[in-house]
Amino acid sequence: MTNVIKFQPRKKPDAPKGPRPEWQKKALIGAGVAAFFVVVWAYYAFIAPAQPPAP
């Protein structure tokens, strides 16, 4: 007797997923922009070396 692996074909989803609502897309873009500014602020506030004062 041999071991046989039987593969079943993938089943298609019942209903295709629709596009995201417009407000959700705008919210994700807004969150990305806010995160970018937070990263830039943190870099200049904590990570970047301090600049010597101008003479």
Side-chain angles (χ1 to χ4, degrees), residues 7-29:
F7 293 98
Q8 296 181 357
R10 295 181 86 182
K11 296 179 182 177
K12 293 184 178 180
D14 296 337
K17 294 182 180 179
R20 286 188 173 143
E22 191 64 28
W23 64 268
Q24 189 176 13
K25 190 175 184 181
K26 288 182 180 179
L28 287 173
I29 291 171

Side-chain angles (χ1 to χ4, degrees), residues 3-52:
N3 292 329
V4 177
I5 299 174
K6 294 184 179 179
F7 293 98
Q8 296 181 357
R10 295 181 86 182
K11 296 179 182 177
K12 293 184 178 180
D14 296 337
K17 294 182 180 179
R20 286 188 173 143
E22 191 64 28
W23 64 268
Q24 189 176 13
K25 190 175 184 181
K26 288 182 180 179
L28 287 173
I29 291 171
V33 170
F36 172 77
F37 283 113
V38 168
V39 168
V40 170
W41 170 79
Y43 174 76
Y44 284 109
F46 300 110
I47 301 171
Q51 298 292 329

